[in-house]
Each structure stands twice: as C-alpha cells, then as structure tokens.
Amino acid sequence: QVQLVESGGGLVQAGGSLRLSCAASGRTFSSYAMGWFRQAPGKEREFVAHINWNGGSTIYADSVKGRFTISRDNAKNTVYLQMNSLKREDTAVYYCAADPLGAGTTFAFWGQGTQVTVSS
C-alpha cells in the first residue's frame, strides 16, 4: 500500500512556473513508476507525465512536452512536476499516481490532488 500526498499547487500568472511535489509513504516507492495526471473542470482526467522507477525514462503528453519536467528523488520518496511557461489551459487539479507494474497502464494508488490555476 502506498499513500500519496500532492502539494505545491496554487494561483500563477500565465507564463509563470510552479513545482508540484508528491510525497509517498511506504518502502516500495522506489520500485514503482509514477505518473502525473490532471483534470480540468468539465473534462476527463488526462495523462501528463510518467517516470520509471529510477528516473531514467520519462514520457510526456504532447501538450506539456518542452514545458513540464517530471523527476523523482527516491531517497525522499518524492516525485516532482516542474511546470514552466504555464498557460491558462493548464488549469486543472493535478494528481500523482503510482504505477507498480511500470507499464504506464495500471495506476494502483492515487493522491487527493492539488489545484493549479493559471490566470491571464
């Protein structure tokens, strides 16, 4: 069992930056791949980024490629999402999720989400 707690969301102007953190409990964190997702009002949840267990492989949605960076610190049981050049369309609740199998298809554990609001 892994518990995930996101933080770092807030209100930022377009063009600004935020760094989200996802703190995990449990000794198995370092063996899990991790993902970030987001859900905007009235829209379905969508994939944002994925990182493998040791940080050596990352995948991004086309909409954030070149602007967002996912990283992790296994010593701190934390995964990050650095968001630069934010746009209004990035406004959403952002969730981190644990991917025990590492295949990017099964996310067994989810955080409660953190709100990101980008103003013009």
Side-chain angles (χ1 to χ4, degrees):
Q1 188 79 8
V2 174
Q3 292 186 329
L4 304 172
V5 179
E6 301 96 335
S7 62
L11 175 64
V12 62
Q13 287 190 329
S17 299
L18 280 176
R19 187 175 81 155
L20 305 183
S21 299
C22 173
S25 65
R27 291 175 289 180
T28 54
F29 171 80
S30 61
S31 66
Y32 289 175
M34 297 293 294
W36 283 97
F37 292 78
R38 67 186 182 186
Q39 187 167 20
K43 295 187 176 181
E44 293 188 353
R45 185 170 59 196
E46 65 174 357
F47 167 78
V48 175
H50 183 273
I51 188 167
N52 76 331
W53 68 276
N54 67 356
S57 176
T58 56
I59 302 171
Y60 297 93
D62 287 343
S63 58
V64 306
K65 202 171 294 183
R67 300 187 298 121
F68 290 11
T69 302
I70 188 172
S71 62
R72 66 189 298 160
D73 185 338
N74 286 343
K76 295 182 178 180
N77 275 17
T78 302
V79 63
Y80 304 98
L81 186 68
Q82 177 66 45
M83 306 186 295
N84 299 328
S85 301
L86 283 160
K87 305 175 181 180
R88 287 192 64 185
E89 51 263 43
D90 295 318
T91 294
V93 178
Y94 283 71
Y95 300 89
C96 67
D99 173 14
L101 300 181
T105 56
T106 305
F107 292 87
F109 307 103
W110 292 81
Q112 83 290 346
T114 186
Q115 175 71 48
V116 172
T117 303
V118 184
S119 64
S120 58

